[in-house]
Amino acid sequence: MMCSRMRFRNALGSRLFRWCSRDKHTSVRKLLEVDGISERSKLLNKVPVLMGYSNTQYLMEQERVRKESATELISVLKEIDFAEILAKFPCIKFGDSSPIELYDDSAGPSPANVNDLSISEESSLITRHISGEPAVDGEVCPESLADATTADGNVLDKSKRCLPGEPAVVTEACPESLADATSPDNNILDKDIRSLPGTTSKQYRKLEDGGFHTIRKLLQHFPRTYADLQNPQGLIEDGQYIMFFGTVISSKGVRIRSTLGFVEVVVGCSIVEAKLSSSDVSCNSGAEQKQRIHLHLKKFFSGQRFSSQYFLNCISSKHKEGDIVYVSGKVKKVLSSGHYDLKEYTIDKLEEEEQQSALLDRKPYPIYPSKAGLEARLLGQSISRALKMLTPDIDPIPPEVLTEFNLANLFDAYMGIHKPKNRDEADFARRRLIFDDFFYLQLGRLFQMLEAVGTRVEKEELLYKCENHELNAVGVDQWSPLANKLLKSLPYSLTASQLNAVKEIIWDLRRPVPMNRLLQGDVGCGKTIVAFLACMEVVNSGFQAAFMVPTEILAVQHYEHLTSLLEKLDGDECKPNIALLTGSTSTRESRIIRNGLKTGEISMVIGTHTLIADKTDFSALRISVIDEQQRFGVIQRGRFNNKLYTSSSKLSDENTSEDAASDSETFMAPHVLAMSATPIPRTLALALYGDMSLTQITDLPPGRQPIETLALEGNDAGFETVFQMMRDELMDGGKVYLVYPIIEESEHLPQLHAAKADFDSIKQKFEGYPCGLLHGRMKGPEKDEALGSFRSGETRILLATQVIEIGVDVPDASMMIVMNAERFGMSQLHQLRGRVGRGGKKSRCVFLSSTSSTLPRLKVLENSSDGFHLANADLVMRGPGDLLGKKQSGHLPEFPIARLEIDGSILQEAHLAALKVLGTSNDLSMFPRLKVELSMRQPLCLLGD
Ligand SMILES: Nc1ncnc2c1ncn2[C@@H]1O[C@H](COP(=O)(O)OP(=O)(O)OP(=O)(O)O)[C@@H](O)[C@H]1O
């Protein structure tokens, strides 16, 4: 290391001397005037400072990192076969998008020659941008240096100043907007955190370690609450959750025994006493009566290490006598009057100066959530400094949009959220910032959709249709003959929302861009037939359809259902060739099916994940339906996109007028129709699948009777009741599912009922009613047989595990009993319950809980059978994370401030605002600052994950 530093110093030194000796740099020479080699080290210390670095080592480090990342990117770029990509996707044109000049660099390209960038130059720009690394010249540039002389002696243009993280869109079409887009004010938010004034390098490092790399990151650290700085008035009830503001009186650590100790902080506060009676008021002439109370904040520590006096003293010393603090927590009265214990609490120290002014003005005082161990004081101070850097013109959203949607401008919003004068101001600011969260998501999604369509007229039509949803439909009379025939042959009529769903999907199928649509509906609402009709529409045009489901049982069921429907169609000539491909399909048969898909002989395939295996090739795949899409991983879903249809696709039918491939769609990823029976409230769905169009089926087929739901404790009495109900049901001609949490008994979980273990006893108990068994460890054909027997009525009782949870459709199954029901999640139970009540027969569902304590949760299901209602209640009660489960909520975009459960209306407004903006300027060329802002935010990716 020493050695390389020496070498670098020598090289730098001689380079500098050469540089100085050129006559142009007399001023620099003067600055560096040195005499002889002894002054060399002085000179070398000056050089990095002049170049904007704190010292030589830092300069070397930065150079090394920059070179390494550039080299890595170049090697990645070299591996990509651009020629092949270009051949496959004629719509992708390299170098024709608006060039984005990330950092001004004297050696950098001018807008005119930006397309001529060599890969190495380009990659170095990209690398810097991707890694969020500031431009080398701007790395630690203090403000003063930003105006400094460039390497070739020119003074940097202010509007193109080299500031870290400053993007600048250079739009050929609209050069006049450039100055606007790149104006420094527009980019304050994305300045490097090191541009924050009055901060030491140690503090910079701490902020960076906490993830605050830019001013924006810092300002987006919003208060978790506001302290009122006015203590409660009136009586304090035991158990109340209250916030107090007061002064630390003492803080001490007490060791009780060798393994137990506690820290007690006593805080004194003044509160206004309970209202005095009218006679008292008159004698006190209305004056407020103040009372002094003491809060005892106690935190216990166990274990030898944590109960040592040293440790306890360290903890207690964090709070000093006289500290002004803000405390929130649950109070418990103690015997002596005016004293309260708080065992669960938060305590925040208020900054002197801030607190003074907040106290005088009675302003809400922001309390920030802690992050990466950063002291609240440093965070608060840094945010205040960042706010001082802001100028009123930082807002990229046009003023007319702000007025129309009654929004604060961005400057006021940041001020209002961090330094509100009152609660209303904080609320108004919050509304604007939530709006931003949603607005850019919507704008990005619509922008991408517009980019994909060709002419201006098409773009306008698309926007118009986005605004007027009811127009995005193709009437039944315009459906293809095959879809129409299938519709007419159905033994029932589609419900209004089923019909609308098909119309909407067919509209999408006829557009020249791949559809990405989520079809959502409660259990048993009839999504399958909607998807079948969409597939027939595509098949009729000579293309192929793939229908992927998560289980073999479901694949077989769908296959049998569709083939039986098609059998009823008149005339043989138009019947498509349908295949079933699952893990249980024999090798020989699989080969034949795969071959048929490759040659185009097979028009539609239903199957499990085998459909996305590499060896499954399609000749003309045009739609992929993914049932129960949340069961598939993102990558699995995305793999359908690799199965492009090619120019060799056969276009057999004459009815392909609208669907026919034009030149531009010679290669196209298939349309994706994802289906989900997990009811998710609309706002959540929009956020979760931000880039997917959403179709919801909101009604159930007619004649369905509500499922009578009962939650009972699974004790002897409970079982007796249930078995009696079961007997009545069987005598009445019904069929019963018994659902178990496990297959075989477990020593570790003796309280759990197991399907296999119960089989014999149930058989005995219900003699005369044949029983079947179905669980995940059975082989494919065994499972099919078990389900087939239950469907046909050969067996009347089916003991099953949760394999039946999704999609299983036995319309005359009329009763379900779920053992140890508390073991299942709410939405799982709702799904399970959906296996009954799918026909006209009145159905019942009983949830048996292991203990009485778990009963209340199950009782919620007694009162509602509406999945959307349950999901909404869950969303409000538990938030999106719990509702969706870890796996799915992980795909939710990160909203720094919005809460999906309560901010749905703002999402709707953001959608309208995005439409308005794009309606005014399809490519955002009239709003360059918005375009820059959009590019700074996370790009949306396919399938919303
Ligand atoms: N419009 C309708 N009128 C009467 N019956 C219908 C109608 N649409 C569908 N069905 C029937 O309703 C039952 C449930 O339909 P389907 O299996 O498509 O529901 P689903 O929405 O996929 O439910 P799940 O999410 O539980 O799989 C099927 O037996 C189907 O034939």
Side-chain angles (χ1 to χ4, degrees):
M1 185 68 193
M2 269 299 280
C3 194
S4 68
R5 200 181 302 168
M6 284 300 291
R7 242 182 288 134
F8 180 78
R9 278 171 161 244
N10 287 339
L12 186 64
S14 22
R15 175 85 61 94
L16 200 79
F17 277 110
R18 270 210 308 278
W19 184 40
C20 290
S21 60
R22 283 195 226 137
D23 43 30
K24 261 209 249 163
H25 296 282
T26 44
S27 57
V28 181
R29 204 148 44 131
K30 241 186 221 156
L31 247 174
L32 301 174
E33 210 129 37
V34 282
D35 105 54
I37 207 78
S38 60
E39 294 298 309
R40 207 177 168 103
S41 70
K42 270 192 206 161
L43 161 70
L44 285 167
N45 287 336
K46 276 189 178 183
V47 172
V49 175
L50 276 169
M51 288 175 74
Y53 294 90
S54 47
N55 55 43
T56 321
Q57 196 179 350
Y58 192 42
L59 166 62
M60 282 174 67
E61 195 91 306
Q62 292 307 312
E63 277 297 314
R64 189 179 53 75
V65 170
R66 193 172 66 83
K67 278 186 186 142
E68 271 175 18
S69 25
T71 325
E72 256 170 46
L73 188 77
I74 291 166
S75 64
V76 172
L77 287 172
K78 273 183 184 160
E79 275 174 28
I80 299 173
D81 190 342
F82 289 100
E84 191 188 322
I85 293 176
L86 283 170
K88 265 195 175 176
F89 302 92
C91 54
I92 299 178
K93 290 190 190 87
F94 281 101
D96 77 336
S97 60
S98 313
I100 296 178
E101 195 178 278
L102 297 173
Y103 307 102
D104 182 64
D105 190 330
S106 54
S110 68
N113 68 7
V114 74
N115 291 338
D116 303 334
L117 264 181
S118 71
I119 282 188
S120 66
E121 284 166 326
E122 203 163 26
S123 61
S124 108
L125 287 177
I126 296 166
T127 322
R128 282 186 230 160
H129 183 53
I130 291 171
S131 61
E133 184 195 318
V136 173
D137 288 355
E139 178 80 39
V140 284
C141 272
E143 286 296 296
S144 56
L145 265 181
D147 286 316
T149 318
T150 58
D152 57 12
N154 296 326
V155 173
L156 280 175
D157 178 347
K158 258 206 168 206
S159 67
K160 297 164 98 193
R161 204 194 280 177
C162 159
L163 284 175
E166 274 190 9
V169 167
V170 183
T171 339
E172 274 168 56
C174 145
E176 70 285 359
S177 60
L178 187 61
D180 183 22
T182 55
S183 85
D185 291 338
N186 197 27
N187 297 319
I188 287 175
L189 291 174
D190 294 304
K191 275 189 179 178
D192 194 87
I193 195 69
R194 285 179 183 259
S195 58
L196 197 68
T199 310
T200 65
S201 47
K202 193 171 164 198
Q203 289 174 329
Y204 282 138
R205 223 173 308 125
K206 278 189 179 173
L207 288 169
E208 282 167 345
D209 290 347
F212 300 109
H213 296 286
T214 59
I215 302 296
R216 184 197 295 266
K217 284 260 177 206
L218 193 60
L219 291 175
Q220 296 251 343
H221 189 71
F222 300 118
R224 95 177 122 76
T225 183
Y226 297 95
D228 205 342
L229 301 194
Q230 286 183 56
N231 285 326
Q233 308 195 355
L235 272 180
I236 297 178
E237 303 280 346
D238 213 11
Q240 237 181 323
Y241 188 92
I242 309 188
M243 302 172 184
F244 297 94
F245 141 73
T247 317
V248 172
I249 295 174
S250 69
S251 174
K252 61 174 191 285
V254 181
R255 188 167 185 240
I256 305 172
R257 54 173 188 262
S258 62
T259 54
L260 189 67
F262 69 91
V263 169
E264 181 179 27
V265 183
V266 181
V267 176
C269 321
S270 292
I271 63 160
V272 177
E273 267 201 343
K275 269 218 156 60
L276 304 165
S277 68
S278 53
S279 57
D280 290 336
V281 170
S282 57
C283 17
N284 280 293
S285 60
E288 283 182 339
Q289 187 116 342
K290 294 248 174 163
Q291 190 202 348
R292 187 93 181 137
I293 60 158
H294 291 88
L295 308 173
H296 299 257
L297 317 179
K298 284 188 188 150
K299 190 160 265 166
F300 284 84
F301 296 89
S302 60
Q304 244 169 12
R305 211 167 135 206
F306 303 113
S307 51
S308 73
Q309 196 58 53
Y310 173 75
F311 177 80
L312 295 170
N313 288 348
C314 280
I315 300 286
S316 63
S317 65
K318 283 190 178 169
H319 303 287
K320 306 260 175 333
E321 197 182 320
D323 277 358
I324 313 268
V325 290
Y326 171 70
V327 177
S328 59
K330 202 162 124 183
V331 291
K332 184 172 184 300
K333 264 187 185 165
V334 288
L335 283 179
S336 42
S337 120
H339 288 259
Y340 298 88
D341 260 358
L342 280 92
K343 293 215 177 84
E344 282 168 34
Y345 59 84
T346 56
I347 176 165
D348 293 284
K349 189 176 168 214
L350 304 188
E351 276 179 51
E352 211 72 20
E353 165 204 333
E354 297 277 331
Q355 165 256 323
Q356 293 288 343
S357 77
L359 258 183
L360 283 178
D361 306 342
R362 297 200 148 176
K363 286 183 198 162
Y365 182 83
I367 305 290
Y368 291 96
S370 57
K371 188 158 183 207
L374 278 173
E375 306 119 52
R377 190 188 173 85
L378 172 61
L379 258 177
Q381 270 176 356
S382 307
I383 289 173
S384 300
R385 285 174 194 145
L387 286 173
K388 285 188 190 131
M389 291 171 73
L390 298 187
T391 52
D393 57 354
I394 49 163
D395 203 337
I397 298 189
E400 55 278 17
V401 175
L402 299 182
T403 315
E404 183 171 341
F405 292 92
N406 186 27
L407 297 165
N409 79 43
L410 194 56
F411 176 79
D412 292 341
Y414 278 128
M415 289 295 177
I417 199 98
H418 292 292
K419 304 263 173 235
K421 290 194 191 73
N422 49 48
R423 291 271 170 165
D424 288 347
E425 196 178 275
D427 279 348
F428 195 53
R430 185 177 176 274
R431 189 172 174 277
R432 160 63 206 259
L433 295 162
I434 294 168
F435 179 90
D436 274 17
D437 280 0
F438 293 139
F439 174 72
Y440 290 104
L441 189 75
Q442 295 291 318
L443 190 71
R445 174 179 165 236
L446 291 167
F447 183 74
Q448 278 178 352
M449 278 170 70
L450 286 178
E451 289 273 278
V453 291
T455 65
R456 194 179 161 74
V457 177
E458 280 173 342
K459 285 181 201 264
E460 268 160 20
E461 191 193 357
L462 181 64
L463 281 173
Y464 182 66
K465 289 192 166 169
C466 285
E467 264 171 290
N468 304 279
H469 243 267
E470 67 285 3
L471 295 178
N472 301 353
V474 173
V476 178
D477 49 338
Q478 291 167 46
W479 294 4
S480 69
L482 186 57
N484 243 312
K485 269 190 185 171
L486 180 62
L487 178 71
K488 289 200 183 104
S489 74
L490 291 177
Y492 47 76
S493 323
L494 293 189
T495 63
S497 38
Q498 277 176 318
L499 198 62
N500 283 340
V502 186
K503 288 177 177 177
E504 215 169 43
I505 293 166
I506 293 185
W507 176 82
D508 237 358
L509 294 179
R510 297 199 177 174
R511 288 174 51 226
V513 282
M515 168 180 83
N516 195 16
R517 189 171 279 275
L518 176 70
L519 174 64
Q520 203 193 45
D522 209 346
V523 274
C525 68
K527 294 180 288 293
T528 319
I529 188 63
V530 171
F532 282 168
L533 285 163
C535 291
M536 291 307 111
E537 179 72 22
V538 161
V539 166
N540 192 111
S541 307
F543 292 98
Q544 290 171 307
F547 199 123
M548 183 165 79
V549 295
T551 63
E552 276 187 36
I553 296 183
L554 208 51
V556 175
Q557 179 183 297
H558 283 345
Y559 174 75
E560 286 173 356
H561 185 183
L562 183 59
T563 41
S564 74
L565 288 175
L566 292 176
E567 263 165 31
K568 291 186 205 131
L569 295 190
D570 315 325
D572 270 350
E573 71 290 350
C574 66
K575 281 185 192 163
N577 194 357
I578 314 282
L580 173 71
L581 184 64
T582 68
S584 300
T585 314
S586 69
T587 323
R588 195 176 147 268
E589 215 177 320
S590 307
R591 207 178 313 122
I592 297 172
I593 294 173
R594 288 205 167 97
N595 202 33
L597 289 171
K598 209 169 178 175
T599 57
E601 216 173 287
I602 295 175
S603 318
M604 178 170 170
V605 61
I606 300 177
T608 50
H609 55 274
T610 41
L611 300 190
I612 47 170
D614 283 343
K615 50 189 173 187
T616 313
D617 277 334
F618 294 84
S619 84
L621 180 63
R622 188 69 191 269
I623 184 171
S624 48
V625 178
I626 304 171
D627 196 3
E628 300 295 337
Q629 56 90 36
Q630 68 275 26
R631 312 251 159 190
F632 292 102
V634 184
I635 298 174
Q636 282 176 318
R637 280 183 267 151
R639 278 174 70 174
F640 261 125
N641 285 339
N642 297 338
K643 304 199 180 292
L644 311 174
Y645 78 77
T646 65
S647 53
S648 61
S649 323
K650 58 176 184 140
L651 295 169
S652 62
D653 202 284
E654 62 283 3
N655 295 300
T656 52
S657 51
E658 285 179 86
D659 219 0
S662 68
D663 279 353
S664 64
E665 55 175 10
T666 310
F667 292 91
M668 192 174 97
H671 298 289
V672 174
L673 178 65
M675 303 206 286
S676 165
T678 308
I680 302 175
R682 193 178 170 84
T683 30
L684 192 53
L686 273 174
L688 184 60
Y689 308 105
D691 61 338
M692 284 184 121
S693 318
L694 183 67
T695 299
Q696 286 184 326
I697 299 184
T698 47
D699 47 16
L700 288 177
R704 294 273 170 89
Q705 299 192 42
I707 305 164
E708 191 188 318
T709 307
L710 206 62
L712 290 177
E713 192 183 339
N715 51 20
D716 291 347
F719 267 103
E720 206 160 302
T721 314
V722 169
F723 287 146
Q724 189 50 49
M725 285 167 74
M726 204 171 140
R727 228 165 261 126
D728 295 344
E729 189 64 40
L730 290 165
M731 279 169 67
D732 198 29
K735 288 181 186 172
V736 183
Y737 287 110
L738 286 173
V739 183
Y740 291 85
I742 49 175
I743 303 171
E744 267 167 307
E745 271 180 325
S746 153
E747 271 177 27
H748 305 293
L749 299 162
Q751 77 281 17
L752 295 190
H753 294 267
K756 247 178 152 178
D758 264 16
F759 187 69
D760 288 335
S761 66
I762 294 287
K763 231 159 103 177
Q764 268 175 14
K765 218 176 236 105
F766 296 93
E767 225 184 313
Y769 298 105
C771 299
L773 182 67
L774 180 64
H775 59 76
R777 264 191 245 147
M778 286 160 66
K779 294 214 169 76
E782 288 171 354
K783 282 190 215 159
D784 296 344
E785 198 189 321
L787 196 62
S789 307
F790 188 59
R791 190 171 280 133
S792 67
E794 216 175 292
T795 52
R796 300 277 300 281
I797 303 171
L798 185 65
L799 289 87
T801 55
Q802 67 196 82
V803 280
I804 58 154
E805 181 193 330
I806 33 170
V808 169
D809 184 42
V810 181
D812 54 354
S814 52
M815 185 172 184
M816 171 173 281
I817 296 157
V818 184
M819 310 286 177
N820 306 100
E822 75 286 347
R823 305 275 305 180
F824 301 92
M826 290 285 259
S827 64
Q828 246 184 326
L829 289 173
H830 180 64
Q831 280 282 326
L832 278 170
R833 175 171 61 178
R835 299 308 114 210
V836 293
R838 295 169 83 90
K841 196 168 182 334
K842 171 102 187 128
S843 302
R844 283 187 288 185
C845 181
V846 185
F847 297 125
L848 286 171
S849 77
S850 313
T851 60
S852 57
S853 62
T854 49
L855 210 51
R857 189 171 75 99
L858 301 175
K859 291 264 178 205
V860 176
L861 288 150
E862 275 186 1
N863 302 325
S864 177
S865 56
D866 175 351
F868 282 98
H869 169 81
L870 285 173
N872 261 320
D874 238 17
L875 182 63
V876 173
M877 278 189 313
R878 306 188 300 158
D882 276 342
L883 177 70
L884 297 170
K886 208 171 165 194
K887 202 167 139 213
Q888 275 208 76
S889 59
H891 300 315
L892 269 177
E894 218 177 281
F895 295 119
I897 191 167
R899 280 183 59 205
L900 289 164
E901 56 272 37
I902 47 176
D903 298 324
S905 59
I906 307 181
L907 176 64
Q908 207 52 38
E909 287 186 3
H911 177 70
L912 292 177
L915 281 171
K916 186 184 164 71
V917 165
L918 288 167
T920 313
S921 172
N922 291 171
D923 57 356
L924 291 179
S925 58
M926 279 166 69
F927 306 106
R929 292 173 62 178
L930 265 185
K931 201 169 175 181
V932 171
E933 182 71 21
L934 195 60
S935 73
M936 291 307 295
R937 299 201 168 224
Q938 272 196 338
L940 295 167
C941 53
L942 215 71
L943 286 169
D945 301 85

